[in-house]
């Protein structure tokens, strides 16, 4: 805030400083509630900006805060709406709604902030003690708080089939994609860690340097021909799994991308190879394409036959010794369970590990009684639930050991 | 320190057509001493921002291209091993040789070390940080907060100047929260028709304003088609240069040439098959 007018009294300055601090703290809280991750340093920088004259120009302040507080694209997209709602009292676009404003007290806008500081004059810094989100002053000024992201913590535990609200579904999708990204990264890093170690090829180095009298002037590095870890996903897209299919598609779309070797198949009464559709960069578009493929004929699930098709036509091409096969299915086999057992055994001989994810496993009272799952289980290395984000998260350490 | 308006003018003068927010981001980089993280699709011109920034500050651009497995020896420093060996051979029997071979003379500067040892603060572009792994990211974070480097044989080397740091990411991997929080964030989107028109005018000699506008509108239409690889600004400029080179003054006068030259925009077989002659006609119909 620019300095103008006569020098105000200490108490007045303090009043403005406290007022600005409180408003800023409330705004930071609003942002945190909306899922922004903001630390103390950002708060202090924000105060520095307000004190440096940015507060007098709302558009400039919005742009500055947007760069300072955003950390990813979803923040970037949300920010303008949140800023306008809080400081300029505009309606919020997007899915979040304003709640919790103290009735009868509207948000003191930027305008009133400028007026106050202009009355008081002074370009005081407010960096002294920004209240953290926990002890921000309450009640005195309305706070355009948003609901939405605070539910993210609970969302991790919610069974996917219980998600009915489109907002929650969207959040689950977003979280599944984020999780997949993080997982992919760490799995790739495992590959790298394995590649480190002794990289000098001494035999070739000595041979190469015979002309230098044996002094190793030019070095030959060892190039390991590593087979990258390959993930092959078989997703059950039958009616009994329909509650879970979309979140899994999103998760798989996130795990499979052009930087890792991966193949994806859908099955219900037959098997469909969907890796190409998964390579679609735009998740929404990929999901649309896959959803069409996932529309089963409604004739139950023939896991055994689908696996037979896989083993016969695809396995030789897509599976090598460092492959992990991930089957996502509830195991309700409407075909021949004995066939499923035989095909699982054949598949197990081929690949390194088979992970079977069964969303129903987490249901209360569920036991693997279905004939299909009983026949398959002896050949499965890891049998785990996958009905919520947390259960997906729990898989990562296991996959990383491959 | 330059103000925002001054930066906007300097960007325009350097031939970079920025959106309104970018000048704010650059002025904040100086004011808050934070690196700038640019995210966006491939081809939207993220790297160009760093080049423009170097022009604005009239300073050198030092680029570190990240890749999987990038380590300190490629990014920070390396001993000139061959020279050291030769020196050891030449001074056989000398006691002080060990101290000599681990001196500045035998040190190879890599981009990160070079960036903190310039007399005038350079622009350090860390390109595609998402391609590097977490360990490198952690090391980088440390460097960006301390601006000093420890070399076991030489001790700690403090920064002579603090570089202007720009990081770019295509989002192939989730970056750590710590790095994201350390940086100012700017999302670079495909330019709108107006901005792309101005970019073509600034970069393609011989492109008239009306043709530039037609090309920008056409590209906007192409981007809305369901493509595997959406054309970036560089592709637009290639296409504009091709059209100007073939003496096209108005897209409506040469629909066949327009369709044939679309290979500049469409980089995969699948996309070429998708944009048929009819699609080109339909898109042309929307271009006034």
């Amino acid at each position: 805030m620019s300095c103008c007018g006569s020098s105000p009294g200490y108490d007045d300055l303090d009043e403005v400083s406290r007022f600005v601090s409180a408003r800023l703290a409330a705004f930071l809280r609003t942002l945190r509630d909306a899922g922004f991750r903001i630390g103390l340093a950002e708060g202090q920088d924000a105060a520095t900006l307000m004190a440096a004259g940015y507060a007098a120009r709302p558009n400039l302040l919005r742009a500055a805060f947007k760069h300072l507080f955003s950390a990813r694209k979803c923040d970037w997209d949300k920010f303008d709406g949140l800023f306008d709602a809080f400081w300029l009292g505009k309606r919020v676009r997007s899915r979040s709604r304003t709640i919790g404003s103290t009735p009868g007290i509207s948000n003191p806008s930027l305008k009133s902030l400028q007026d106050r500081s202009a009355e008081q004059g002074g370009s005081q810094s407010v960096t002294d003690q920004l209240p953290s989100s926990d002890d921000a002053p309450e009640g005195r000024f309305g706070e355009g708080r948003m609901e939405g992201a605070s539910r993210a913590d609970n969302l991790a535990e919610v069974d996917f089939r219980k998600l009915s609200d489109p907002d929650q579904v969207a959040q689950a999708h977003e979280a599944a994609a984020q999780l997949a990204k993080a997982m992919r990264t760490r799995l790739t890093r495992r590959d790298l860690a394995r590649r480190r170690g002794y990289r000098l090829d001494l035999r070739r180095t000595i041979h190469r340097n015979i002309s230098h009298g044996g002094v190793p002037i030019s070095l030959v590095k060892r190039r390991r021909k590593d087979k990258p870890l390959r993930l092959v996903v078989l997703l059950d897209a039958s009616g009994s799994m329909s509650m879970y299919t979309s979140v899994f598609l999103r998760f798989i779309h996130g795990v499979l991308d052009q930087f890792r070797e991966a193949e994806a198949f859908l099955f219900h009464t037959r098997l469909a190879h969907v890796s190409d559709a998964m390579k679609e960069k735009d998740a929404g578009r990929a999901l649309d394409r896959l959803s069409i493929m996932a529309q089963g004929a409604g004739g139950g699930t023939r896991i055994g036959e689908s696996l037979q098709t896989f083993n016969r036509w695809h396995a030789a091409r897509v599976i090598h010794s460092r492959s992990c096969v991930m089957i996502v299915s509830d195991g309700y086999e409407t075909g021949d369970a004995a066939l499923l057992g035989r095909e699982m055994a054949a598949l197990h001989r081929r690949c390194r590990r088979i992970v079977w994810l069964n969303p129903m496993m987490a249901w209360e009272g569920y036991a693997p009684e279905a004939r299909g799952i009983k026949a398959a289980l002896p050949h499965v290395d890891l049998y785990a639930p996958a009905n919520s984000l947390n259960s997906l998260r729990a898989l990562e350490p296991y996959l990383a050991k491959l | 320190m330059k103000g925002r308006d001054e930066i906007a003018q300097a960007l325009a003068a350097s031939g970079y057509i920025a959106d309104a927010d970018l000048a704010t981001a650059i002025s904040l980089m100086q004011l808050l001493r934070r690196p700038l993280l640019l995210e966006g699709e491939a081809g939207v011109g993220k790297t160009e921002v760093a080049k423009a920034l170097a022009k604005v500050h009239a300073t050198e651009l030092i680029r570190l291209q990240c890749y999987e497995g990038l380590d300190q020896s490629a990014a920070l420093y390396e001993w000139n091993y061959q020279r050291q060996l030769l020196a050891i051979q030449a001074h056989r029997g000398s006691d002080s040789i060990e101290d000599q071979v681990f001196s500045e003379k035998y040190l190879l500067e890599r981009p990160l070390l070079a960036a903190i040892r310039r007399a005038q603060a350079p622009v350090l572009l860390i390109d595609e940080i998402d391609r590097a792994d977490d360990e490198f990211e952690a090391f980088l974070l440390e460097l960006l907060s301390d601006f000093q480097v420890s070399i076991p044989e030489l001790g700690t080397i403090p920064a002579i100047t603090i570089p202007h740091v720009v990081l770019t990411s295509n989002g192939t991997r989730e970056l750590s929260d710590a790095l994201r929080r350390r940086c100012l964030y700017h999302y670079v989107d495909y330019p709108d028709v107006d901005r792309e028109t101005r970019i073509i005018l600034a970069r393609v000699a011989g492109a008239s304003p009306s043709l530039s506008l037609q090309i920008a509108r056409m590209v906007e239409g192409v981007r809305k088609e369901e493509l595997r690889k959406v054309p970036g600004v560089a592709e637009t400029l290639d296409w504009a240069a091709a059209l100007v080179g073939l003496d096209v003054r108005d897209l409506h006068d040469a629909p066949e040439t327009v369709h044939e030259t679309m290979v500049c925009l469409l980089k995969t077989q699948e996309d070429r098959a998708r944009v048929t002659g009819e699609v080109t006609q339909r898109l042309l119909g929307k271009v006034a």
Side-chain angles (χ1 to χ4, degrees), chain A residues 196-214:
Chain A
R196 295 220 171 96
Y198 206 69
R199 292 181 311 171
L200 200 64
D201 191 330
L202 269 180
R203 188 167 60 85
R204 286 205 176 85
T205 302
I206 288 168
H207 197 93
R208 162 93 52 99
N209 289 291
I210 287 173
S211 55
H212 304 307

Side-chain angles (χ1 to χ4, degrees), chain A residues 3 12 34 39 41 46 49 114 119 121 144 156 186 192 210 235 238 244 249 256 273 283 344 347 356 362:
Chain A
C3 196
D12 297 335
L49 291 178
Q114 294 158 34
E119 284 166 26
R186 279 194 280 268
L192 281 175
I210 287 173
L235 176 63
S238 61
Y244 298 101
L249 283 176
L256 312 192
H273 185 201
M344 283 293 290
L347 182 59
W356 189 302

Side-chain angles (χ1 to χ4, degrees), chain B residues 38-52:
Chain B
L38 300 168
E39 264 188 344
E41 296 290 334
V44 291
K46 297 188 292 293
T47 305
E48 287 298 315
V49 174
K51 290 180 184 168

Side-chain angles (χ1 to χ4, degrees), chain A residues 37-43 45-46 48-49 52 54 57 59-60 63-68 70-74 76-77 178 181-182 184-186 188-189 191-193 195-196 199-200 215-219 221 257-259 276-277 279-281 285 289, chain B residues 4-5 19 21-22 24-25 27-28 31-32 34 36-37 39 41-42 68-71 73 78 81-82 85-86 89 92 131 133-135 170-177 180-189 223-228 230 270 274:
Chain A
R37 292 174 189 170
I38 295 168
L40 202 60
E42 287 73 45
D45 279 351
T48 305
L49 291 178
Y54 279 69
R57 298 168 64 184
N59 284 340
L60 185 57
F65 275 9
K66 188 175 183 176
H67 286 98
L68 180 61
S70 300
R72 38 180 56 84
K73 178 148 194 308
C74 56
W76 182 261
D77 292 339
Q178 290 270 1
K181 244 183 178 178
R184 198 179 65 213
T185 306
R186 279 194 280 268
T188 311
R189 204 183 65 237
D191 270 6
L192 281 175
R195 219 176 291 155
R196 295 220 171 96
R199 292 181 311 171
L200 200 64
V215 179
I217 298 287
S218 63
L219 301 180
K221 296 262 169 75
D257 77 344
Q258 56 214 359
F259 299 102
D276 279 349
K279 285 189 184 124
E280 184 81 63
K281 244 173 99 168
R285 213 183 285 162
R289 280 178 71 176
Chain B
R4 179 170 169 265
D5 300 335
D19 66 357
D21 280 349
L22 193 65
T24 308
S27 66
L28 287 182
L31 182 68
L32 303 176
R34 283 174 180 259
L36 177 64
L37 169 63
E39 264 188 344
E41 296 290 334
E68 227 180 89
L70 173 67
D71 58 6
S73 65
E78 181 68 300
Y81 172 80
Q82 282 84 350
L85 268 179
L86 288 170
Q89 291 288 321
R92 225 169 238 183
R131 297 282 171 106
D133 54 30
D134 299 20
E135 291 157 41
N170 291 335
T172 58
R173 165 177 82 79
E174 185 53 33
L175 302 174
S176 72
D177 271 344
R180 286 179 178 281
R181 285 212 341 229
R182 179 81 192 81
C183 299
L184 297 165
Y185 180 89
H186 185 87
Y187 185 79
V188 187
D189 215 337
R223 285 192 187 125
K224 284 178 184 159
E225 293 297 310
E226 295 201 350
L227 297 179
R228 173 70 62 88
V230 179
E270 201 181 322
R274 200 172 281 187

Side-chain angles (χ1 to χ4, degrees), chain B residues 217-272:
Chain B
R217 282 190 177 148
M218 192 77 184
V219 172
E220 185 194 38
V222 170
R223 285 192 187 125
K224 284 178 184 159
E225 293 297 310
E226 295 201 350
L227 297 179
R228 173 70 62 88
K229 264 190 97 59
V230 179
V233 180
E235 280 77 24
T236 306
L237 294 175
D238 286 347
W239 191 45
L243 290 167
V244 169
L246 293 167
D247 215 18
V248 175
R249 305 252 164 86
D250 187 309
L251 298 188
H252 296 289
D253 296 344
E256 281 178 14
T257 312
V258 169
H259 183 65
E260 284 161 14
T261 49
M262 293 270 262
V263 293
C264 299
L265 297 179
L266 308 169
K267 294 294 174 77
T268 71
Q269 188 54 42
E270 201 181 322
D271 290 345
R272 281 178 205 176

Side-chain angles (χ1 to χ4, degrees), chain A residues 271-293:
Chain A
L271 184 83
H273 185 201
V274 296
S275 297
D276 279 349
M278 283 289 188
K279 285 189 184 124
E280 184 81 63
K281 244 173 99 168
D282 180 77
R285 213 183 285 162
L287 259 56
D288 286 347
R289 280 178 71 176
L290 288 162
S291 302
I292 293 166
M293 294 177 178

Side-chain angles (χ1 to χ4, degrees), chain A residues 245-262:
Chain A
T245 311
S246 82
V247 179
F248 273 112
L249 283 176
R250 185 63 193 261
F251 174 71
I252 293 167
H253 178 264
V255 174
L256 312 192
D257 77 344
Q258 56 214 359
F259 299 102
R260 288 175 49 77
E261 291 199 3

